[in-house]
Amino acid sequence: MGSGIGIGLLGLGTVGGGVASILQSPSERHPLVADLKLVRVAVRDLNRPRSVELPNEILTTDPAVVVNDPAVDVVVEVIGGIEPARSLILQAIAAGKSVVTANKAVIARHGEEIADAATKAGVYVLIEAAVGGGIPIIEPLKQSLGGNRINRVSGIINGTTNYILTRMAEEGAAYESVLKDAQELGYAEADPAADVDGLDAADKIAILANLAFGGSVERSAVPTAGISQLQGRDVDYAKQLGYGVKLLAVAERMKPSGEPLPLSLRVQPTLVPNDHPLAGVNGVNNAILVEGDPIGRVMFYGPGAGAGPTASAVVADILNIAGISQATQGDDRLDPLLAASSWRRCVLVDRGEIRQRHYVRFHTQDAPGVIGRIGGCFGDGGVSIQSIVQFNASKAGAEIVVITHEVSQKKMDDALQSIQALPEVSGLAAHLGCL
Ligand code: HSE
């Protein structure tokens, strides 16, 4: 690389537009930004109106032109989706170019393949924008917290669902109407299923687990539940009991540790006590709570989606590569803290072994002894109850809400099965996690 660093941008959508706009206006930013030259941009449609003005001659509809342009030193992939993004990233690496990507779906599924290729080619693939939008979390996990033994990473890592849940809780608004607003505001992915079904958060927690625990995990095995089935009344009951409902992603090491390291990962709507640090994270904001030894708890908080915040993270990665390249002047050894690295094997425990507290709501008859029988089933199954409350009792029936102490999923499932077999219980109406 010369003194100017050639940037090739794959995609000029929400994030790409944000990146281009930072690169085109370096004034009052770090002086290194002025050295970043946007030399090629791949767009889907040359005639589409854009939020940022770019010279026509740098635009192309062929992403291969960007990847193969000798003036491009760093390829920025913000197309999203699996293909052609994965192939383009691999082609850029093969051409000896470092890559910056915001693509959590590709990294969560093909991160190992990409990291291996990057290590062999002696280039970086940096992914700060893939998790938590503008929040610096990838680099802290790789570098600032490197001296810790991480025990748990948990967080609110999907802005769209947090925006929806916040408005449901504050306004009693219906899920569908708030989802529409989130899409109009540009928070939701083109396919909202990735957000509302928890898939986006599952991609992100798989990536965080890899960095926190030093080994990749099988993305498809992450137990995942989204918010599309969540009912307003559970948000309301949770509120009455002193909790907020958040789409929480959790990755934690199981005891005893071993080789491969057993990990428990999950994404699900979860009751968060009002005095917990994650409870005050509202709207499109994200927060990631890292628990480690010896640091204790450290929380990273900020805007988790949107053009500006995500572009801020992308440009930070480009600057890291540019800074190293200027400092090392062609020495092609990689900084081991910044380069992708897995240093052990990790394995996800079976869903039945995951331990947590639970919130459940049953439809029941309003008859003498129902609470006792439900309590009996839980007790017989080894599930300890923290609280049991009856709501909305009428001739039509009652709703019984139970919050348990921490218990394995297997014991919980078995107890729920015997409760659902009780003649007074007409159904399990909700089942959420609880912190
Ligand atoms: N759609 C994502 C979210 C943003 O709502 O958090 C990009 O990761």
Side-chain angles (χ1 to χ4, degrees), residues 104 129-130 157-161 187-189 195 200 204 286 304-306 310:
K104 59 256 156 178
I157 48 179
N158 182 266
T160 305
T161 46
Y187 301 149
E189 301 289 310
D195 293 307
D200 175 83
K204 292 169 177 169
N286 283 191
T310 313

Side-chain angles (χ1 to χ4, degrees), residues 38-394:
L38 195 50
V39 292
R40 277 281 174 192
V41 181
V43 296
R44 203 176 303 164
D45 176 357
L46 288 172
N47 300 314
R48 204 156 140 188
R50 296 174 219 298
S51 56
V52 53
E53 264 189 50
L54 294 172
N56 273 338
E57 61 274 17
I58 71 169
L59 301 180
T60 171
T61 52
D62 182 359
V65 167
V66 175
V67 170
N68 296 320
D69 187 330
V72 169
D73 300 306
V74 177
V75 172
V76 176
E77 184 277 305
V78 284
I79 303 175
I82 305 292
E83 286 294 355
R86 170 186 154 274
S87 301
L88 290 166
I89 291 171
L90 291 170
Q91 282 165 32
I93 293 169
K97 299 176 187 200
S98 286
V99 174
V100 173
T101 178
N103 194 329
K104 59 256 156 178
V106 159
I107 297 300
R109 289 165 186 76
H110 303 286
E112 247 185 318
E113 177 191 24
I114 290 170
D116 286 350
T119 306
K120 280 193 196 108
V123 298
Y124 295 98
V125 174
L126 300 189
I127 59 166
E128 188 60 72
V131 183
I135 305 172
I137 178 63
I138 303 292
E139 201 179 318
L141 280 175
K142 282 179 172 177
Q143 302 190 331
S144 329
L145 296 172
N148 287 271
R149 181 180 304 115
I150 306 294
N151 294 317
R152 196 165 196 263
V153 177
S154 54
I156 296 165
I157 48 179
N158 182 266
T160 305
T161 46
N162 204 43
Y163 173 84
I164 295 172
L165 292 174
T166 302
R167 287 197 47 199
M168 283 174 78
E170 285 175 356
E171 303 164 27
Y175 164 78
E176 281 81 10
S177 74
V178 192
L179 169 62
K180 208 160 155 277
D181 287 352
Q183 284 174 306
E184 279 166 15
L185 287 164
Y187 301 149
E189 301 289 310
D191 174 4
D195 293 307
V196 299
D197 292 340
L199 310 176
D200 175 83
D203 288 347
K204 292 169 177 169
I205 197 67
I207 293 171
L208 293 180
N210 187 344
L211 294 169
F213 300 108
S216 64
V217 299
E218 180 56 49
R219 162 63 186 86
S220 60
V222 178
T224 304
I227 65 161
S228 51
Q229 304 302 316
L230 181 70
Q231 293 182 32
R233 68 177 54 199
D234 290 302
V235 176
D236 180 39
Y237 293 160
K239 201 170 176 179
Q240 294 185 47
L241 295 169
Y243 297 85
V245 178
K246 301 290 183 190
L247 184 68
L248 204 75
V250 178
E252 60 194 339
R253 70 165 74 223
M254 300 289 283
K255 290 197 183 82
S257 289
E259 178 65 44
L261 182 70
L263 298 178
S264 155
L265 265 69
R266 61 186 180 273
V267 172
Q268 69 184 147
T270 302
L271 273 68
V272 177
N274 287 339
D275 60 358
H276 189 280
L278 289 170
V281 178
N282 288 320
V284 74
N285 288 310
N286 283 191
I288 299 113
L289 184 67
V290 181
E291 295 169 56
D293 175 21
I295 191 165
R297 281 175 154 191
V298 57
M299 190 161 101
F300 298 82
Y301 168 86
T310 313
S312 158
V314 167
V315 175
D317 278 346
I318 303 175
L319 288 172
N320 261 325
I321 294 166
I324 289 175
S325 134
Q326 290 198 349
T328 55
Q329 301 272 333
D331 176 347
D332 57 6
R333 276 174 302 180
L334 293 173
D335 172 345
L337 290 179
L338 204 57
S341 73
S342 288
W343 39 273
R344 70 165 150 213
R345 285 193 311 127
C346 293
V347 64
L348 294 185
V349 297
D350 289 340
R351 179 179 167 280
E353 287 177 56
I354 294 176
R355 294 183 62 79
Q356 65 166 337
R357 295 168 72 207
H358 296 258
Y359 163 103
V360 281
R361 172 165 60 88
F362 303 102
H363 284 311
T364 71
Q365 290 170 10
D366 187 16
V370 177
I371 287 188
R373 255 164 248 136
I374 289 176
C377 289
F378 274 131
D380 293 346
V383 180
S384 174
I385 292 174
Q386 189 216 296
S387 72
I388 183 161
V389 187
Q390 178 165 308
F391 286 97
N392 275 350
S394 72

